[in-house]
Amino acid sequence: MIPDVDNDSIVYLNGKHVRLGDATISVLDRGFIFGDGIYDVVPAYNGKPFRMDGHLARLERSLAAIGIKVDFQRSDWEALVFDMLKRSGLGDCMVYLQVTRGVAKRDHAFPANAAPTIFCMVSPFTRPGAQAREQGLSAVGIPDIRWLRCEIKSVSLLGNVLAKQHAVDAGVDEVLQFRDGFLSEGSSCNIWVAKDGKLLAPPRSNLILEGIRYGFVEELASQAGIAFNARPISQQEVDAADELMLSSATKELLPITTYNGKPVGGGKPGPIYAALRAGYDKAIAAL
Ligand code: PDD
């Protein structure tokens, strides 16, 4: 029995459907041995995937970036997501997709003949509630100790795991990571800065995972008539921000109202957050 999960939920593993509690992989799976694999997380509302095309395009980019070839076309991924959503019977949920380089004798170099391991599970998801939306989250700044290919959604997440545990140990909700004095991202989310009525975010690069919400929030800003600029953001600019926000599939878009123990702006969610949040909720409602 795995605690805190629905052991009876059905997962997909290499073409088979099995109980989560019964699903197993080899100890020589390269995902287990080397963290040699990639993943993606597609949110669904009322059983309908949100921005699935973007998620599947990123999944394909991640696979290509680490040279894993899977005999799956885009339509196969879509069919898998829809089928797993249907089987789950869940409304608001997360579809987790993972591909590793497969099972092989332990050797760092790519194996000649390993078949990739393909895994999919669907988990229930509760949308961020009034407390998080209205009071906002707390965060602290830390150095970004991760590798230089953060644009790949790799399952090698030790840097992200340590970053999130830093937040837990510090008694805050999230961390803001800085590389060479410039903002990169949160432990598993993108970060947004508002200053003088304008929205800023670190540029798309190898130093961040470009969230599917990155492009979405950009669209929401444009619809709301908010100027957006993607450029390097210094630690000092974050300290002086009017508003801070984070975005991810699981956190949607949330304000950060306490940073390094101090209130951000007025210590309350600001007007740019409110405008973007309204657009976000409208898009979900229209699904
Ligand atoms: N994480 N940056 C990192 C490092 C992430 O892990 C994530 C998402 C994001 C935001 O991406 P998106 O908007 O596509 O969710 C940015 C997922 C939710 C996870 O690891 O569970």
Side-chain angles (χ1 to χ4, degrees), residues 39 41 55 58 146 153 157 160 185-190 209-214 247-250:
Y39 75 108
V41 182
H55 284 278
R58 185 172 65 186
R146 300 172 305 155
K153 204 156 171 57
L157 284 172
N160 306 65
E185 59 185 338
S187 66
S188 56
C189 52
N190 292 120
L209 191 270
E210 182 194 331
I212 302 312
R213 266 130 295 279
Y214 191 113
S247 66
S248 78
T250 47

Side-chain angles (χ1 to χ4, degrees), residues 105-126:
K105 175 174 179 284
R106 186 179 183 280
D107 179 349
H108 287 64
F110 295 178
N113 294 312
T117 300
I118 304 177
F119 172 61
C120 177
M121 66 179 168
V122 184
S123 317
F125 156 66
T126 307

Side-chain angles (χ1 to χ4, degrees), residues 169-185:
D169 292 342
V172 296
D173 299 304
E174 195 39 85
V175 290
L176 269 55
Q177 301 184 88
F178 291 87
R179 200 186 286 270
D180 301 327
F182 288 90
L183 177 64
S184 51
E185 59 185 338

Side-chain angles (χ1 to χ4, degrees), residues 6-158:
D6 177 3
N7 283 263
D8 291 327
S9 65
I10 297 300
V11 304
Y12 171 97
L13 183 59
N14 294 328
K16 298 201 172 70
H17 296 93
V18 288
R19 280 180 73 246
L20 176 59
D22 296 334
T24 52
I25 55 155
S26 166
V27 290
L28 286 184
D29 192 284
R30 289 177 62 99
F32 177 63
I33 291 280
F34 293 119
D36 184 1
I38 58 90
Y39 75 108
D40 219 290
V41 182
V42 186
Y45 295 90
N46 203 12
K48 294 180 197 130
F50 183 59
R51 301 248 154 176
M52 178 169 64
D53 286 354
H55 284 278
L56 295 182
R58 185 172 65 186
L59 179 87
E60 290 165 352
R61 283 202 304 277
S62 296
L63 285 169
I66 67 166
I68 293 183
K69 290 188 188 68
V70 190
D71 195 14
F72 260 55
Q73 306 304 312
R74 177 67 68 87
S75 54
D76 298 316
W77 290 116
E78 286 169 1
L80 177 62
V81 170
F82 282 123
D83 179 59
M84 290 299 289
L85 279 170
K86 205 167 152 209
R87 283 173 192 267
S88 78
L90 292 170
D92 294 350
C93 55
M94 292 288 152
V95 183
Y96 178 88
L97 297 161
Q98 176 173 334
V99 184
T100 76
R101 207 178 302 278
V103 180
K105 175 174 179 284
R106 186 179 183 280
D107 179 349
H108 287 64
F110 295 178
N113 294 312
T117 300
I118 304 177
F119 172 61
C120 177
M121 66 179 168
V122 184
S123 317
F125 156 66
T126 307
R127 296 189 64 187
Q131 165 82 14
R133 288 160 173 244
E134 288 159 22
Q135 305 303 315
L137 305 179
S138 54
V140 293
I142 61 167
D144 192 339
I145 59 163
R146 300 172 305 155
W147 70 331
L148 294 172
R149 297 298 304 276
C150 294
E151 84 280 13
I152 302 170
K153 204 156 171 57
S154 161
V155 293
S156 303
L157 284 172
L158 192 51

